[in-house]
Amino acid sequence: MKTKFRPHSRLIRLENQAGRFVIHGMGRWYHHWRDPYHLLLTVPWLGFVAIVSLTYLLLNTLFALAYLAGGDCLEGARAGSFSDAFFFSVQTLASIGYGAIHPKTFYANSIVTVESIASLLLIAVLTGLAFARFSRPIAKVLFSNFIIITTHNSQPTLMFRVANERHNFILEAHAQIYLIIDEVTDEGEFMRRIHELKLLRQRTPSLVLTWTLMHPIDADSPLYGLDAQDLQRLDANISVLISGVDETVAYTITARHVYATQEILFDRSFENIIHKSDNGDRYFDYSLFHQVRPSSTIVEQK
């Protein structure tokens, strides 16, 4: 069964923050116009096509105005017609050249020369950007909706699940998790501190289906002695980073996820997603991937 994913908002909101143009929405992508290369790589495809289309129309508009500034310089075009000049610019920029309209003055030929150079640069840049977007490795790693803290082998343990949505091999998969909390130093200064949490197994030879990661909460753990109210007071977040090599494309891929305080559940257990059929075969029910149930044991920290 297919796993249901949490939907993302498809609304786009534009905001000016201290002189910076920020775009929100479409998977929470955003960037500043000061770094257009990064913006064009990270914006969703709909935004990328929109930006390219607007740029193309604006460029042709500028060249159309340049042709109109030269007076009657285009043979076959109506004098002073913006539409004729605009579509002649489109034909020139795209190297179509129907021939119905052509330059007849030195000024018009000069503008055509400049536009031809701009066309070469534009095509080269867009080809490079499109290739970079297609070739950029993207991890399809699914994280459980919740982190649970329950008893495992008679010890309080933090647990969560990850799954490889592509069902191919992620080789030498490596996991790192960090606890991020508010702390006050001995001098009374507030700071946001990051603590690395040690895992029972930090690396797996291959991530194909699912992987349950566990952090034992012992006396050395930053979570030792903390309950749900403490985590809320400390505004705790847990950041997860998964990396490995995608066997299909031989690229190193990374995936990250952040759990908020309300997504850390105490005294819960994950529903079992591995089932055994009568003939001895095992199968995975991903419809239960995010499901939790009350734990049969109570977490105690001594």
Side-chain angles (χ1 to χ4, degrees):
M1 299 181 67
K2 294 184 178 179
T3 304
K4 293 183 178 180
F5 303 100
R6 288 176 291 183
H8 295 287
S9 172
R10 291 294 177 183
L11 298 177
I12 296 178
R13 179 168 58 90
L14 308 182
E15 183 179 352
N16 191 332
Q17 295 181 353
R20 296 178 177 179
F21 186 64
V22 180
I23 307 174
H24 302 274
M26 296 294 293
R28 297 180 181 180
W29 60 269
Y30 69 93
H31 210 275
H32 305 142
W33 288 109
R34 295 178 181 178
D35 193 356
Y37 177 74
H38 191 272
L39 172 66
L40 291 172
L41 285 183
T42 55
V43 69
W45 277 104
L46 181 60
F48 178 78
V49 172
I51 292 174
V52 171
S53 300
L54 289 174
T55 302
Y56 187 79
L57 293 175
L58 177 61
L59 190 60
N60 280 292
T61 299
L62 292 176
F63 278 108
L65 294 175
Y67 290 122
L68 290 178
D72 186 17
C73 63
L74 298 177
E75 185 69 34
R78 292 168 295 177
S81 173
F82 174 81
S83 61
D84 285 356
F86 178 84
F87 289 118
F88 172 72
S89 174
V90 170
Q91 296 167 23
T92 302
L93 195 65
S95 301
I96 298 174
Y98 291 123
I101 302 176
H102 56 274
K104 64 179 182 180
T105 64
F106 177 80
Y107 172 83
N109 280 295
S110 300
I111 300 299
V112 168
T113 301
V114 174
E115 189 168 7
S116 298
I117 296 174
S119 174
L120 292 174
L121 294 175
L122 182 64
I123 293 173
V125 170
L126 290 181
T127 301
L129 285 171
F131 177 78
R133 290 179 61 89
F134 273 113
S135 61
R136 184 163 54 98
I138 299 176
K140 298 291 288 184
V141 176
L142 176 66
F143 294 85
S144 58
N145 287 343
F146 303 101
I147 278 183
I148 63 172
I149 295 180
T150 187
T151 299
H152 176 74
N153 288 337
S154 302
Q155 183 176 31
T157 304
L158 179 145
M159 304 170 63
F160 65 96
R161 288 170 171 166
V162 297
N164 180 10
E165 296 183 63
R166 290 196 174 103
H167 300 303
N168 64 344
F169 285 86
I170 298 179
L171 305 178
E172 290 298 320
H174 182 264
Q176 294 174 287
I177 64 173
Y178 302 91
L179 173 67
I180 308 172
I181 57 176
D182 294 340
E183 289 189 2
V184 178
T185 65
D186 294 338
E187 293 76 24
E189 295 180 358
F190 170 82
M191 65 184 307
R192 191 74 170 158
R193 187 174 291 258
I194 301 175
H195 300 272
E196 183 173 3
L197 303 181
K198 295 182 180 180
L199 297 169
L200 283 178
R201 182 163 60 94
Q202 198 169 20
R203 187 183 300 271
T204 183
S206 60
L207 174 57
V208 184
L209 298 174
T210 64
W211 183 15
T212 300
L213 294 111
M214 305 180 186
H215 163 70
I217 304 178
D218 53 22
D220 295 328
S221 171
L223 289 168
Y224 186 76
L226 301 181
D227 57 19
Q229 289 74 23
D230 293 327
L231 296 181
Q232 187 72 34
R233 175 177 53 83
L234 297 173
D235 191 19
N237 292 147
I238 293 181
S239 177
V240 182
L241 177 65
I242 304 291
S243 61
V245 178
D246 189 305
E247 184 187 46
T248 304
V249 294
Y251 285 159
T252 299
I253 57 176
T254 58
R256 65 180 180 88
H257 188 79
V258 177
Y259 290 95
T261 307
Q262 60 270 22
E263 296 171 325
I264 306 173
L265 306 180
F266 282 75
D267 304 329
R268 297 290 190 275
S269 297
F270 282 118
E271 292 285 357
N272 188 18
I273 64 173
I274 304 176
H275 302 278
K276 188 175 182 179
S277 62
D278 295 335
N279 61 4
D281 293 337
R282 289 180 172 85
Y283 65 94
F284 292 76
D285 185 0
Y286 282 95
S287 65
L288 302 176
F289 184 82
H290 301 289
Q291 298 298 317
V292 296
R293 53 179 169 79
S295 179
S296 58
T297 58
I298 301 299
V299 177
E300 295 182 359
Q301 299 181 8
K302 298 181 180 180

PDB file of all heavy atoms in Angstrom, residues 56-89:
ATOM      1  N   TYR A  56      12.222  36.117 -20.859  1.00  0.00           N
ATOM      2  CA  TYR A  56      12.184  36.051 -22.323  1.00  0.00           C
ATOM      3  C   TYR A  56      11.276  37.136 -22.896  1.00  0.00           C
ATOM      4  O   TYR A  56      11.639  37.837 -23.855  1.00  0.00           O
ATOM      5  CB  TYR A  56      11.697  34.668 -22.743  1.00  0.00           C
ATOM      6  CG  TYR A  56      11.758  34.404 -24.224  1.00  0.00           C
ATOM      7  CD1 TYR A  56      12.958  34.058 -24.840  1.00  0.00           C
ATOM      8  CD2 TYR A  56      10.618  34.497 -25.022  1.00  0.00           C
ATOM      9  CE1 TYR A  56      13.024  33.806 -26.206  1.00  0.00           C
ATOM     10  CE2 TYR A  56      10.668  34.255 -26.378  1.00  0.00           C
ATOM     11  CZ  TYR A  56      11.876  33.912 -26.963  1.00  0.00           C
ATOM     12  OH  TYR A  56      11.937  33.669 -28.312  1.00  0.00           O
ATOM     13  N   LEU A  57      10.101  37.293 -22.303  1.00  0.00           N
ATOM     14  CA  LEU A  57       9.174  38.318 -22.781  1.00  0.00           C
ATOM     15  C   LEU A  57       9.734  39.721 -22.555  1.00  0.00           C
ATOM     16  O   LEU A  57       9.606  40.599 -23.424  1.00  0.00           O
ATOM     17  CB  LEU A  57       7.832  38.170 -22.067  1.00  0.00           C
ATOM     18  CG  LEU A  57       7.033  36.901 -22.383  1.00  0.00           C
ATOM     19  CD1 LEU A  57       5.787  36.836 -21.513  1.00  0.00           C
ATOM     20  CD2 LEU A  57       6.656  36.849 -23.859  1.00  0.00           C
ATOM     21  N   LEU A  58      10.371  39.940 -21.416  1.00  0.00           N
ATOM     22  CA  LEU A  58      10.947  41.252 -21.132  1.00  0.00           C
ATOM     23  C   LEU A  58      12.082  41.568 -22.097  1.00  0.00           C
ATOM     24  O   LEU A  58      12.187  42.696 -22.595  1.00  0.00           O
ATOM     25  CB  LEU A  58      11.463  41.277 -19.690  1.00  0.00           C
ATOM     26  CG  LEU A  58      12.164  42.569 -19.241  1.00  0.00           C
ATOM     27  CD1 LEU A  58      11.199  43.747 -19.327  1.00  0.00           C
ATOM     28  CD2 LEU A  58      12.697  42.430 -17.822  1.00  0.00           C
ATOM     29  N   LEU A  59      12.919  40.569 -22.384  1.00  0.00           N
ATOM     30  CA  LEU A  59      14.041  40.797 -23.300  1.00  0.00           C
ATOM     31  C   LEU A  59      13.542  41.143 -24.695  1.00  0.00           C
ATOM     32  O   LEU A  59      14.062  42.062 -25.353  1.00  0.00           O
ATOM     33  CB  LEU A  59      14.924  39.543 -23.335  1.00  0.00           C
ATOM     34  CG  LEU A  59      16.270  39.665 -24.046  1.00  0.00           C
ATOM     35  CD1 LEU A  59      17.132  40.735 -23.375  1.00  0.00           C
ATOM     36  CD2 LEU A  59      17.006  38.330 -24.027  1.00  0.00           C
ATOM     37  N   ASN A  60      12.512  40.431 -25.155  1.00  0.00           N
ATOM     38  CA  ASN A  60      11.971  40.736 -26.486  1.00  0.00           C
ATOM     39  C   ASN A  60      11.287  42.095 -26.506  1.00  0.00           C
ATOM     40  O   ASN A  60      11.318  42.800 -27.526  1.00  0.00           O
ATOM     41  CB  ASN A  60      10.976  39.649 -26.903  1.00  0.00           C
ATOM     42  CG  ASN A  60      11.665  38.413 -27.440  1.00  0.00           C
ATOM     43  OD1 ASN A  60      12.268  38.435 -28.502  1.00  0.00           O
ATOM     44  ND2 ASN A  60      11.584  37.329 -26.686  1.00  0.00           N
ATOM     45  N   THR A  61      10.683  42.472 -25.411  1.00  0.00           N
ATOM     46  CA  THR A  61      10.069  43.800 -25.330  1.00  0.00           C
ATOM     47  C   THR A  61      11.122  44.900 -25.453  1.00  0.00           C
ATOM     48  O   THR A  61      10.925  45.898 -26.159  1.00  0.00           O
ATOM     49  CB  THR A  61       9.308  43.943 -24.002  1.00  0.00           C
ATOM     50  OG1 THR A  61       8.271  42.956 -23.939  1.00  0.00           O
ATOM     51  CG2 THR A  61       8.699  45.331 -23.865  1.00  0.00           C
ATOM     52  N   LEU A  62      12.254  44.718 -24.773  1.00  0.00           N
ATOM     53  CA  LEU A  62      13.322  45.720 -24.839  1.00  0.00           C
ATOM     54  C   LEU A  62      13.877  45.847 -26.259  1.00  0.00           C
ATOM     55  O   LEU A  62      14.106  46.962 -26.760  1.00  0.00           O
ATOM     56  CB  LEU A  62      14.439  45.341 -23.867  1.00  0.00           C
ATOM     57  CG  LEU A  62      14.080  45.418 -22.377  1.00  0.00           C
ATOM     58  CD1 LEU A  62      15.245  44.922 -21.513  1.00  0.00           C
ATOM     59  CD2 LEU A  62      13.700  46.836 -21.984  1.00  0.00           C
ATOM     60  N   PHE A  63      14.083  44.706 -26.923  1.00  0.00           N
ATOM     61  CA  PHE A  63      14.595  44.776 -28.303  1.00  0.00           C
ATOM     62  C   PHE A  63      13.537  45.343 -29.256  1.00  0.00           C
ATOM     63  O   PHE A  63      13.888  46.052 -30.214  1.00  0.00           O
ATOM     64  CB  PHE A  63      15.048  43.390 -28.760  1.00  0.00           C
ATOM     65  CG  PHE A  63      16.425  43.031 -28.300  1.00  0.00           C
ATOM     66  CD1 PHE A  63      16.609  42.084 -27.319  1.00  0.00           C
ATOM     67  CD2 PHE A  63      17.542  43.653 -28.835  1.00  0.00           C
ATOM     68  CE1 PHE A  63      17.887  41.738 -26.880  1.00  0.00           C
ATOM     69  CE2 PHE A  63      18.825  43.329 -28.403  1.00  0.00           C
ATOM     70  CZ  PHE A  63      18.993  42.367 -27.417  1.00  0.00           C
ATOM     71  N   ALA A  64      12.265  45.056 -29.009  1.00  0.00           N
ATOM     72  CA  ALA A  64      11.210  45.641 -29.848  1.00  0.00           C
ATOM     73  C   ALA A  64      11.210  47.162 -29.725  1.00  0.00           C
ATOM     74  O   ALA A  64      11.070  47.883 -30.727  1.00  0.00           O
ATOM     75  CB  ALA A  64       9.858  45.064 -29.437  1.00  0.00           C
ATOM     76  N   LEU A  65      11.375  47.676 -28.523  1.00  0.00           N
ATOM     77  CA  LEU A  65      11.462  49.124 -28.323  1.00  0.00           C
ATOM     78  C   LEU A  65      12.695  49.702 -29.009  1.00  0.00           C
ATOM     79  O   LEU A  65      12.661  50.827 -29.531  1.00  0.00           O
ATOM     80  CB  LEU A  65      11.475  49.439 -26.826  1.00  0.00           C
ATOM     81  CG  LEU A  65      10.195  49.103 -26.060  1.00  0.00           C
ATOM     82  CD1 LEU A  65      10.385  49.349 -24.562  1.00  0.00           C
ATOM     83  CD2 LEU A  65       9.011  49.906 -26.586  1.00  0.00           C
ATOM     84  N   ALA A  66      13.796  48.907 -29.002  1.00  0.00           N
ATOM     85  CA  ALA A  66      15.010  49.377 -29.676  1.00  0.00           C
ATOM     86  C   ALA A  66      14.791  49.482 -31.179  1.00  0.00           C
ATOM     87  O   ALA A  66      15.253  50.450 -31.824  1.00  0.00           O
ATOM     88  CB  ALA A  66      16.165  48.419 -29.380  1.00  0.00           C
ATOM     89  N   TYR A  67      14.052  48.508 -31.762  1.00  0.00           N
ATOM     90  CA  TYR A  67      13.749  48.596 -33.193  1.00  0.00           C
ATOM     91  C   TYR A  67      12.838  49.787 -33.492  1.00  0.00           C
ATOM     92  O   TYR A  67      13.027  50.494 -34.493  1.00  0.00           O
ATOM     93  CB  TYR A  67      13.089  47.300 -33.678  1.00  0.00           C
ATOM     94  CG  TYR A  67      14.022  46.119 -33.706  1.00  0.00           C
ATOM     95  CD1 TYR A  67      13.737  44.967 -32.982  1.00  0.00           C
ATOM     96  CD2 TYR A  67      15.192  46.143 -34.468  1.00  0.00           C
ATOM     97  CE1 TYR A  67      14.586  43.870 -32.998  1.00  0.00           C
ATOM     98  CE2 TYR A  67      16.053  45.056 -34.497  1.00  0.00           C
ATOM     99  CZ  TYR A  67      15.746  43.924 -33.755  1.00  0.00           C
ATOM    100  OH  TYR A  67      16.595  42.849 -33.777  1.00  0.00           O
ATOM    101  N   LEU A  68      11.870  50.028 -32.632  1.00  0.00           N
ATOM    102  CA  LEU A  68      10.964  51.158 -32.859  1.00  0.00           C
ATOM    103  C   LEU A  68      11.702  52.487 -32.763  1.00  0.00           C
ATOM    104  O   LEU A  68      11.344  53.459 -33.446  1.00  0.00           O
ATOM    105  CB  LEU A  68       9.824  51.119 -31.827  1.00  0.00           C
ATOM    106  CG  LEU A  68       8.801  49.988 -31.985  1.00  0.00           C
ATOM    107  CD1 LEU A  68       7.769  50.041 -30.865  1.00  0.00           C
ATOM    108  CD2 LEU A  68       8.108  50.067 -33.356  1.00  0.00           C
ATOM    109  N   ALA A  69      12.744  52.531 -31.916  1.00  0.00           N
ATOM    110  CA  ALA A  69      13.516  53.769 -31.771  1.00  0.00           C
ATOM    111  C   ALA A  69      14.263  54.114 -33.049  1.00  0.00           C
ATOM    112  O   ALA A  69      14.645  55.275 -33.253  1.00  0.00           O
ATOM    113  CB  ALA A  69      14.497  53.637 -30.608  1.00  0.00           C
ATOM    114  N   GLY A  70      14.474  53.118 -33.917  1.00  0.00           N
ATOM    115  CA  GLY A  70      15.181  53.367 -35.180  1.00  0.00           C
ATOM    116  C   GLY A  70      14.291  53.825 -36.297  1.00  0.00           C
ATOM    117  O   GLY A  70      14.747  53.934 -37.452  1.00  0.00           O
ATOM    118  N   GLY A  71      13.003  54.054 -36.018  1.00  0.00           N
ATOM    119  CA  GLY A  71      12.078  54.506 -37.049  1.00  0.00           C
ATOM    120  C   GLY A  71      11.697  53.364 -37.971  1.00  0.00           C
ATOM    121  O   GLY A  71      11.566  52.205 -37.554  1.00  0.00           O
ATOM    122  N   ASP A  72      11.552  53.685 -39.251  1.00  0.00           N
ATOM    123  CA  ASP A  72      11.153  52.679 -40.252  1.00  0.00           C
ATOM    124  C   ASP A  72      12.399  51.912 -40.705  1.00  0.00           C
ATOM    125  O   ASP A  72      12.939  52.135 -41.786  1.00  0.00           O
ATOM    126  CB  ASP A  72      10.472  53.370 -41.437  1.00  0.00           C
ATOM    127  CG  ASP A  72       9.894  52.368 -42.435  1.00  0.00           C
ATOM    128  OD1 ASP A  72       9.736  51.191 -42.034  1.00  0.00           O
ATOM    129  OD2 ASP A  72       9.631  52.756 -43.582  1.00  0.00           O
ATOM    130  N   CYS A  73      12.853  50.986 -39.842  1.00  0.00           N
ATOM    131  CA  CYS A  73      14.098  50.265 -40.131  1.00  0.00           C
ATOM    132  C   CYS A  73      13.889  48.793 -40.436  1.00  0.00           C
ATOM    133  O   CYS A  73      14.857  48.060 -40.677  1.00  0.00           O
ATOM    134  CB  CYS A  73      15.073  50.404 -38.955  1.00  0.00           C
ATOM    135  SG  CYS A  73      14.474  49.660 -37.413  1.00  0.00           S
ATOM    136  N   LEU A  74      12.632  48.317 -40.428  1.00  0.00           N
ATOM    137  CA  LEU A  74      12.337  46.914 -40.680  1.00  0.00           C
ATOM    138  C   LEU A  74      11.487  46.792 -41.939  1.00  0.00           C
ATOM    139  O   LEU A  74      10.369  47.318 -42.009  1.00  0.00           O
ATOM    140  CB  LEU A  74      11.600  46.284 -39.487  1.00  0.00           C
ATOM    141  CG  LEU A  74      12.350  46.240 -38.152  1.00  0.00           C
ATOM    142  CD1 LEU A  74      11.458  45.667 -37.064  1.00  0.00           C
ATOM    143  CD2 LEU A  74      13.643  45.424 -38.287  1.00  0.00           C
ATOM    144  N   GLU A  75      12.022  46.098 -42.927  1.00  0.00           N
ATOM    145  CA  GLU A  75      11.293  45.884 -44.171  1.00  0.00           C
ATOM    146  C   GLU A  75      10.197  44.846 -43.936  1.00  0.00           C
ATOM    147  O   GLU A  75      10.410  43.791 -43.357  1.00  0.00           O
ATOM    148  CB  GLU A  75      12.246  45.378 -45.255  1.00  0.00           C
ATOM    149  CG  GLU A  75      11.607  45.233 -46.628  1.00  0.00           C
ATOM    150  CD  GLU A  75      11.271  46.573 -47.235  1.00  0.00           C
ATOM    151  OE1 GLU A  75      12.014  47.547 -47.000  1.00  0.00           O
ATOM    152  OE2 GLU A  75      10.254  46.651 -47.950  1.00  0.00           O
ATOM    153  N   GLY A  76       8.961  45.166 -44.366  1.00  0.00           N
ATOM    154  CA  GLY A  76       7.834  44.258 -44.221  1.00  0.00           C
ATOM    155  C   GLY A  76       7.042  44.488 -42.955  1.00  0.00           C
ATOM    156  O   GLY A  76       5.998  43.851 -42.761  1.00  0.00           O
ATOM    157  N   ALA A  77       7.521  45.374 -42.080  1.00  0.00           N
ATOM    158  CA  ALA A  77       6.811  45.680 -40.844  1.00  0.00           C
ATOM    159  C   ALA A  77       6.048  46.985 -40.992  1.00  0.00           C
ATOM    160  O   ALA A  77       6.475  47.895 -41.715  1.00  0.00           O
ATOM    161  CB  ALA A  77       7.787  45.785 -39.675  1.00  0.00           C
ATOM    162  N   ARG A  78       4.918  47.087 -40.316  1.00  0.00           N
ATOM    163  CA  ARG A  78       4.153  48.325 -40.328  1.00  0.00           C
ATOM    164  C   ARG A  78       4.892  49.390 -39.504  1.00  0.00           C
ATOM    165  O   ARG A  78       5.425  49.086 -38.434  1.00  0.00           O
ATOM    166  CB  ARG A  78       2.765  48.080 -39.750  1.00  0.00           C
ATOM    167  CG  ARG A  78       1.874  47.191 -40.619  1.00  0.00           C
ATOM    168  CD  ARG A  78       0.632  46.760 -39.857  1.00  0.00           C
ATOM    169  NE  ARG A  78       0.982  45.905 -38.723  1.00  0.00           N
ATOM    170  CZ  ARG A  78       0.094  45.426 -37.858  1.00  0.00           C
ATOM    171  NH1 ARG A  78      -1.189  45.755 -37.985  1.00  0.00           N
ATOM    172  NH2 ARG A  78       0.482  44.665 -36.860  1.00  0.00           N
ATOM    173  N   ALA A  79       4.942  50.577 -40.019  1.00  0.00           N
ATOM    174  CA  ALA A  79       5.662  51.658 -39.348  1.00  0.00           C
ATOM    175  C   ALA A  79       5.062  51.924 -37.964  1.00  0.00           C
ATOM    176  O   ALA A  79       3.852  52.119 -37.836  1.00  0.00           O
ATOM    177  CB  ALA A  79       5.624  52.926 -40.202  1.00  0.00           C
ATOM    178  N   GLY A  80       5.898  51.897 -36.947  1.00  0.00           N
ATOM    179  CA  GLY A  80       5.461  52.180 -35.590  1.00  0.00           C
ATOM    180  C   GLY A  80       4.696  51.055 -34.921  1.00  0.00           C
ATOM    181  O   GLY A  80       4.132  51.264 -33.836  1.00  0.00           O
ATOM    182  N   SER A  81       4.644  49.877 -35.544  1.00  0.00           N
ATOM    183  CA  SER A  81       3.886  48.753 -34.966  1.00  0.00           C
ATOM    184  C   SER A  81       4.744  48.023 -33.934  1.00  0.00           C
ATOM    185  O   SER A  81       5.760  47.417 -34.285  1.00  0.00           O
ATOM    186  CB  SER A  81       3.451  47.787 -36.067  1.00  0.00           C
ATOM    187  OG  SER A  81       2.872  46.620 -35.499  1.00  0.00           O
ATOM    188  N   PHE A  82       4.316  48.085 -32.670  1.00  0.00           N
ATOM    189  CA  PHE A  82       5.046  47.376 -31.623  1.00  0.00           C
ATOM    190  C   PHE A  82       4.945  45.865 -31.798  1.00  0.00           C
ATOM    191  O   PHE A  82       5.922  45.138 -31.585  1.00  0.00           O
ATOM    192  CB  PHE A  82       4.504  47.777 -30.246  1.00  0.00           C
ATOM    193  CG  PHE A  82       5.115  46.988 -29.115  1.00  0.00           C
ATOM    194  CD1 PHE A  82       6.369  47.326 -28.613  1.00  0.00           C
ATOM    195  CD2 PHE A  82       4.443  45.903 -28.563  1.00  0.00           C
ATOM    196  CE1 PHE A  82       6.933  46.587 -27.577  1.00  0.00           C
ATOM    197  CE2 PHE A  82       5.001  45.165 -27.531  1.00  0.00           C
ATOM    198  CZ  PHE A  82       6.251  45.506 -27.033  1.00  0.00           C
ATOM    199  N   SER A  83       3.779  45.371 -32.193  1.00  0.00           N
ATOM    200  CA  SER A  83       3.606  43.919 -32.337  1.00  0.00           C
ATOM    201  C   SER A  83       4.513  43.361 -33.419  1.00  0.00           C
ATOM    202  O   SER A  83       5.111  42.284 -33.245  1.00  0.00           O
ATOM    203  CB  SER A  83       2.143  43.587 -32.638  1.00  0.00           C
ATOM    204  OG  SER A  83       1.719  44.188 -33.854  1.00  0.00           O
ATOM    205  N   ASP A  84       4.660  44.084 -34.552  1.00  0.00           N
ATOM    206  CA  ASP A  84       5.554  43.607 -35.608  1.00  0.00           C
ATOM    207  C   ASP A  84       6.999  43.583 -35.128  1.00  0.00           C
ATOM    208  O   ASP A  84       7.739  42.622 -35.372  1.00  0.00           O
ATOM    209  CB  ASP A  84       5.438  44.499 -36.849  1.00  0.00           C
ATOM    210  CG  ASP A  84       4.152  44.247 -37.623  1.00  0.00           C
ATOM    211  OD1 ASP A  84       3.408  43.323 -37.230  1.00  0.00           O
ATOM    212  OD2 ASP A  84       3.886  44.980 -38.599  1.00  0.00           O
ATOM    213  N   ALA A  85       7.405  44.632 -34.424  1.00  0.00           N
ATOM    214  CA  ALA A  85       8.774  44.691 -33.906  1.00  0.00           C
ATOM    215  C   ALA A  85       8.995  43.607 -32.845  1.00  0.00           C
ATOM    216  O   ALA A  85      10.062  42.977 -32.796  1.00  0.00           O
ATOM    217  CB  ALA A  85       9.057  46.073 -33.327  1.00  0.00           C
ATOM    218  N   PHE A  86       7.986  43.367 -32.018  1.00  0.00           N
ATOM    219  CA  PHE A  86       8.118  42.359 -30.959  1.00  0.00           C
ATOM    220  C   PHE A  86       8.269  40.964 -31.557  1.00  0.00           C
ATOM    221  O   PHE A  86       9.167  40.203 -31.172  1.00  0.00           O
ATOM    222  CB  PHE A  86       6.889  42.425 -30.044  1.00  0.00           C
ATOM    223  CG  PHE A  86       6.900  41.393 -28.954  1.00  0.00           C
ATOM    224  CD1 PHE A  86       7.590  41.626 -27.768  1.00  0.00           C
ATOM    225  CD2 PHE A  86       6.232  40.188 -29.102  1.00  0.00           C
ATOM    226  CE1 PHE A  86       7.600  40.677 -26.752  1.00  0.00           C
ATOM    227  CE2 PHE A  86       6.236  39.234 -28.106  1.00  0.00           C
ATOM    228  CZ  PHE A  86       6.929  39.480 -26.929  1.00  0.00           C
ATOM    229  N   PHE A  87       7.414  40.611 -32.512  1.00  0.00           N
ATOM    230  CA  PHE A  87       7.482  39.264 -33.075  1.00  0.00           C
ATOM    231  C   PHE A  87       8.700  39.090 -33.979  1.00  0.00           C
ATOM    232  O   PHE A  87       9.219  37.975 -34.111  1.00  0.00           O
ATOM    233  CB  PHE A  87       6.193  38.943 -33.830  1.00  0.00           C
ATOM    234  CG  PHE A  87       5.013  38.749 -32.913  1.00  0.00           C
ATOM    235  CD1 PHE A  87       3.921  39.595 -32.988  1.00  0.00           C
ATOM    236  CD2 PHE A  87       5.012  37.738 -31.959  1.00  0.00           C
ATOM    237  CE1 PHE A  87       2.850  39.427 -32.126  1.00  0.00           C
ATOM    238  CE2 PHE A  87       3.936  37.564 -31.097  1.00  0.00           C
ATOM    239  CZ  PHE A  87       2.853  38.408 -31.181  1.00  0.00           C
ATOM    240  N   PHE A  88       9.194  40.171 -34.562  1.00  0.00           N
ATOM    241  CA  PHE A  88      10.464  40.072 -35.285  1.00  0.00           C
ATOM    242  C   PHE A  88      11.604  39.787 -34.302  1.00  0.00           C
ATOM    243  O   PHE A  88      12.513  39.005 -34.596  1.00  0.00           O
ATOM    244  CB  PHE A  88      10.748  41.373 -36.046  1.00  0.00           C
ATOM    245  CG  PHE A  88      12.113  41.418 -36.651  1.00  0.00           C
ATOM    246  CD1 PHE A  88      12.442  40.643 -37.755  1.00  0.00           C
ATOM    247  CD2 PHE A  88      13.106  42.232 -36.096  1.00  0.00           C
ATOM    248  CE1 PHE A  88      13.713  40.674 -38.305  1.00  0.00           C
ATOM    249  CE2 PHE A  88      14.378  42.272 -36.649  1.00  0.00           C
ATOM    250  CZ  PHE A  88      14.684  41.494 -37.754  1.00  0.00           C
ATOM    251  N   SER A  89      11.535  40.407 -33.117  1.00  0.00           N
ATOM    252  CA  SER A  89      12.536  40.141 -32.088  1.00  0.00           C
ATOM    253  C   SER A  89      12.464  38.689 -31.625  1.00  0.00           C
ATOM    254  O   SER A  89      13.497  38.039 -31.423  1.00  0.00           O
ATOM    255  CB  SER A  89      12.324  41.084 -30.899  1.00  0.00           C
ATOM    256  OG  SER A  89      13.193  40.740 -29.830  1.00  0.00           O
TER     257      SER A  89
END
